[in-house]
Amino acid sequence: MFRFFFYAPLFHKEMLIKISAILLVGFLALAYEAIKPPPPRTCGSPGGPPITGPRIKLRDGRHLAYKEHGVPKQLANKKIVFIHAFGSSKHDAVIVSSLPQGLVEELGAYVVSFDRPGYGESDPDPHRTAKSIALDVEELADNLGLGPKFYVIGYSMGGQSVWGCLKYIPHRLAGATLMTPVVNYWWPSFPSNLSIMAYKWQPKQDQWALRVFHYLPWLTNWWLNQKWFPTLSVVENNLDVFSPQDLQILSNMVDDSDIQSYARQQGEPESICRDVIVGFRTWDFDPLDLDNPFRNNESQVHLWHGEDDKLVPVMLQRYIAQTLPWIQYHELKGAGHFFPYIQEVTADIIKTQLLG
């Protein structure tokens, strides 16, 4: 058998090509099987997690799980859809949980948080995009009877999703707030020198991870689970990417391992992996080209960011605020990525949006 390879000239050239092709296809098939993400453990399916809370059925047959907070929506004069962060769920509605007791009732606010697709008890959406999330938000609001207009507030990766709402459903918005929204370094309107500077400001391991998410999305699940190289700082809980304020906030947090397990219970490929693929792939639109959805000043769009945020570079948010002068930009001195967990800050954020 070995002589077959060492004395290949004795055999017909076409036969060698065919054998090489077969070996190559076989190798690629084995490699693909090794890196192919496992199928999601869809809630309610045989062997999948149970369904424990309310859900709505969407236009395409998927289900979206949600949780209601604040005053009953029939009595509320302000209705808010909250979009959660990376690796989180409907249970971490920081815009409500971090408020001083009684403030949400004082404001007459109803808040609904939901598990984004693939998280918690919401069905995965392998075709998820910035547009599909915006349409999910709109359909959730309509199913729950929130009326013709409602507020959207998003945090971190959920803050990034608010851009899709401003693009695709601006006519439904009573106002919008982005709290330390994740930025895509490949948005076309960023000057190349600025986006490169911000990109290189990230830890080396995150630079490599972002390349994978953008250029090789099919490799994302393997990359975040392999043990050969450092993966993503936030996935590895690398404390070096948190500011002093973030570390102080983290030290005061109660154990939320159950909530984190709930968020990823259907599997990582359609939750955190899909999140970063959607967040850092090429988008169908550039947020910096958006027009003001409130041209008559009937409401406002607010963007809040920490000066000392080590996860999302503040230099890019400053450029966004300069490019879109209709954005009300609030930069918090000394704040990191977790400032929404500070009571007085979150109270200021929601009152600024609802009361103007």
Side-chain angles (χ1 to χ4, degrees):
M1 181 175 180
F2 291 103
R3 290 182 180 179
F4 174 87
F5 293 98
F6 288 117
Y7 297 99
L10 299 177
F11 294 87
H12 198 281
K13 185 177 180 180
E14 289 185 1
M15 182 64 70
L16 282 174
I17 293 174
K18 289 180 180 179
I19 292 172
S20 298
I22 291 170
L23 291 174
L24 177 60
V25 170
F27 171 78
L28 292 176
L30 289 172
Y32 175 73
E33 285 298 319
I35 64 174
K36 183 175 68 172
R41 298 174 60 247
T42 307
C43 286
S45 65
I51 300 168
T52 62
R55 307 197 303 174
I56 64 163
K57 190 172 183 178
L58 297 169
R59 61 199 175 278
D60 57 4
R62 289 182 295 113
H63 294 86
L64 208 64
Y66 67 92
K67 184 176 182 179
E68 297 173 295
H69 318 261
V71 304
K73 60 177 176 282
Q74 298 85 353
L75 304 177
N77 52 43
K78 308 287 186 181
K79 295 167 185 176
I80 302 168
V81 178
F82 177 75
I83 311 175
H84 69 75
F86 175 84
S88 188
S89 73
K90 65 183 182 181
H91 294 303
D92 193 14
V94 64
I95 195 63
V96 178
S97 60
S98 294
L99 288 178
Q101 188 173 3
L103 179 58
V104 70
E105 289 79 13
E106 178 185 327
L107 294 170
Y110 163 88
V111 181
V112 60
S113 55
F114 68 99
D115 293 329
R116 290 191 283 117
Y119 280 105
E121 295 178 6
S122 288
D123 292 340
D125 181 5
H127 307 295
R128 177 152 52 115
T129 62
K131 182 177 183 178
S132 71
I133 285 288
L135 297 181
D136 285 354
V137 167
E138 181 178 39
E139 197 164 354
L140 174 67
D142 287 342
N143 269 266
L144 296 179
L146 301 193
K149 288 184 180 290
F150 50 87
Y151 296 88
V152 289
I153 298 178
Y155 172 41
S156 192
M157 193 66 85
Q160 188 190 60
S161 297
V162 174
W163 291 118
C165 296
L166 291 168
K167 168 66 176 178
Y168 295 109
I169 58 168
H171 57 290
R172 301 301 306 275
L173 303 182
T177 294
L178 304 89
M179 300 187 296
T180 186
V182 171
V183 172
N184 186 326
Y185 299 89
W186 289 272
W187 285 339
S189 292
F190 282 137
S192 58
N193 62 327
L194 180 66
S195 57
I196 290 172
M197 183 190 308
Y199 177 82
K200 291 185 175 180
W201 179 80
Q202 300 283 314
K204 286 290 185 183
Q205 70 181 91
D206 291 351
Q207 293 179 37
W208 279 104
L210 290 168
R211 289 189 186 103
V212 170
F213 306 154
H214 184 76
Y215 296 109
L216 304 169
W218 48 271
L219 203 58
T220 297
N221 182 70
W222 175 84
W223 185 265
L224 291 182
N225 286 280
Q226 52 80 29
K227 306 300 181 185
W228 297 347
F229 314 104
T231 59
L232 187 66
S233 295
V234 70
V235 171
E236 293 184 344
N237 294 316
N238 181 355
L239 298 181
D240 291 340
V241 295
F242 298 123
S243 72
Q245 186 193 75
D246 288 337
L247 294 174
Q248 181 63 41
I249 293 170
L250 284 171
S251 69
N252 294 326
M253 283 185 175
V254 297
D255 179 27
D256 63 349
S257 55
D258 289 344
I259 292 179
Q260 290 188 19
S261 297
Y262 168 85
R264 306 184 190 191
Q265 65 181 351
Q266 298 185 85
E268 293 185 353
E270 289 298 333
S271 55
I272 63 170
C273 294
R274 185 66 58 188
D275 234 8
V276 293
I277 291 171
V278 173
F280 296 107
R281 286 299 308 275
T282 300
W283 281 28
D284 292 334
F285 72 98
D286 185 346
L288 282 82
D289 289 336
L290 291 176
D291 293 324
N292 184 358
F294 308 114
R295 295 185 178 182
N296 297 320
N297 295 320
E298 64 271 32
S299 190
Q300 294 178 328
V301 178
H302 297 271
L303 195 162
W304 299 74
H305 205 79
E307 175 195 44
D308 198 23
D309 191 328
K310 297 184 181 299
L311 287 172
V312 182
V314 69
M315 64 185 80
L316 295 181
Q317 307 290 21
R318 290 170 179 166
Y319 185 82
I320 290 172
Q322 292 167 7
T323 305
L324 302 177
W326 47 269
I327 293 278
Q328 304 298 309
Y329 180 59
H330 312 265
E331 188 171 304
L332 304 178
K333 187 173 179 60
H337 197 72
F338 293 154
F339 64 78
Y341 289 94
I342 301 174
Q343 264 196 11
E344 56 268 27
V345 175
T346 306
D348 193 23
I349 290 172
I350 194 168
K351 286 192 288 186
T352 298
Q353 179 65 85
L354 299 185
L355 303 180

mmCIF file of all heavy atoms in Angstrom, residues 246-254:
data_model
loop_
_atom_site.group_PDB
_atom_site.id
_atom_site.type_symbol
_atom_site.label_atom_id
_atom_site.label_comp_id
_atom_site.label_asym_id
_atom_site.label_seq_id
_atom_site.Cartn_x
_atom_site.Cartn_y
_atom_site.Cartn_z
ATOM 1 N N ASP A 246 -16.217 48.803 37.469
ATOM 2 C CA ASP A 246 -16.825 47.512 37.124
ATOM 3 C C ASP A 246 -16.486 46.450 38.167
ATOM 4 O O ASP A 246 -17.351 45.681 38.597
ATOM 5 C CB ASP A 246 -16.339 47.035 35.751
ATOM 6 C CG ASP A 246 -16.916 47.846 34.608
ATOM 7 O OD1 ASP A 246 -17.991 48.461 34.782
ATOM 8 O OD2 ASP A 246 -16.290 47.873 33.534
ATOM 9 N N LEU A 247 -15.226 46.404 38.563
ATOM 10 C CA LEU A 247 -14.789 45.399 39.538
ATOM 11 C C LEU A 247 -15.480 45.603 40.878
ATOM 12 O O LEU A 247 -15.838 44.635 41.555
ATOM 13 C CB LEU A 247 -13.270 45.453 39.694
ATOM 14 C CG LEU A 247 -12.458 45.047 38.457
ATOM 15 C CD1 LEU A 247 -10.970 45.286 38.691
ATOM 16 C CD2 LEU A 247 -12.709 43.579 38.106
ATOM 17 N N GLN A 248 -15.686 46.864 41.259
ATOM 18 C CA GLN A 248 -16.391 47.154 42.495
ATOM 19 C C GLN A 248 -17.837 46.683 42.412
ATOM 20 O O GLN A 248 -18.384 46.075 43.344
ATOM 21 C CB GLN A 248 -16.339 48.653 42.787
ATOM 22 C CG GLN A 248 -17.039 49.063 44.077
ATOM 23 C CD GLN A 248 -16.408 48.451 45.321
ATOM 24 O OE1 GLN A 248 -15.187 48.373 45.433
ATOM 25 N NE2 GLN A 248 -17.241 47.990 46.249
ATOM 26 N N ILE A 249 -18.474 46.937 41.272
ATOM 27 C CA ILE A 249 -19.862 46.501 41.075
ATOM 28 C C ILE A 249 -19.954 44.984 41.091
ATOM 29 O O ILE A 249 -20.851 44.398 41.716
ATOM 30 C CB ILE A 249 -20.418 47.081 39.760
ATOM 31 C CG1 ILE A 249 -20.545 48.605 39.867
ATOM 32 C CG2 ILE A 249 -21.764 46.453 39.413
ATOM 33 C CD1 ILE A 249 -20.860 49.291 38.552
ATOM 34 N N LEU A 250 -19.013 44.329 40.417
ATOM 35 C CA LEU A 250 -19.007 42.863 40.376
ATOM 36 C C LEU A 250 -18.853 42.263 41.767
ATOM 37 O O LEU A 250 -19.476 41.246 42.086
ATOM 38 C CB LEU A 250 -17.869 42.370 39.480
ATOM 39 C CG LEU A 250 -18.088 42.484 37.966
ATOM 40 C CD1 LEU A 250 -16.791 42.173 37.221
ATOM 41 C CD2 LEU A 250 -19.193 41.525 37.508
ATOM 42 N N SER A 251 -18.041 42.904 42.601
ATOM 43 C CA SER A 251 -17.808 42.372 43.949
ATOM 44 C C SER A 251 -19.061 42.436 44.816
ATOM 45 O O SER A 251 -19.190 41.687 45.782
ATOM 46 C CB SER A 251 -16.668 43.142 44.631
ATOM 47 O OG SER A 251 -17.059 44.474 44.933
ATOM 48 N N ASN A 252 -19.988 43.305 44.459
ATOM 49 C CA ASN A 252 -21.217 43.456 45.244
ATOM 50 C C ASN A 252 -22.389 42.673 44.668
ATOM 51 O O ASN A 252 -23.481 42.672 45.246
ATOM 52 C CB ASN A 252 -21.607 44.935 45.338
ATOM 53 C CG ASN A 252 -20.594 45.741 46.140
ATOM 54 O OD1 ASN A 252 -20.007 45.248 47.095
ATOM 55 N ND2 ASN A 252 -20.363 46.985 45.737
ATOM 56 N N MET A 253 -22.183 42.033 43.521
ATOM 57 C CA MET A 253 -23.269 41.289 42.889
ATOM 58 C C MET A 253 -23.480 39.945 43.566
ATOM 59 O O MET A 253 -22.524 39.300 44.002
ATOM 60 C CB MET A 253 -22.978 41.060 41.396
ATOM 61 C CG MET A 253 -23.209 42.266 40.520
ATOM 62 S SD MET A 253 -22.978 41.849 38.773
ATOM 63 C CE MET A 253 -23.457 43.377 37.992
ATOM 64 N N VAL A 254 -24.738 39.523 43.620
ATOM 65 C CA VAL A 254 -25.046 38.187 44.139
ATOM 66 C C VAL A 254 -24.763 37.164 43.052
ATOM 67 O O VAL A 254 -24.684 37.500 41.859
ATOM 68 C CB VAL A 254 -26.527 38.093 44.579
ATOM 69 C CG1 VAL A 254 -26.798 39.057 45.720
ATOM 70 C CG2 VAL A 254 -27.462 38.383 43.404
#
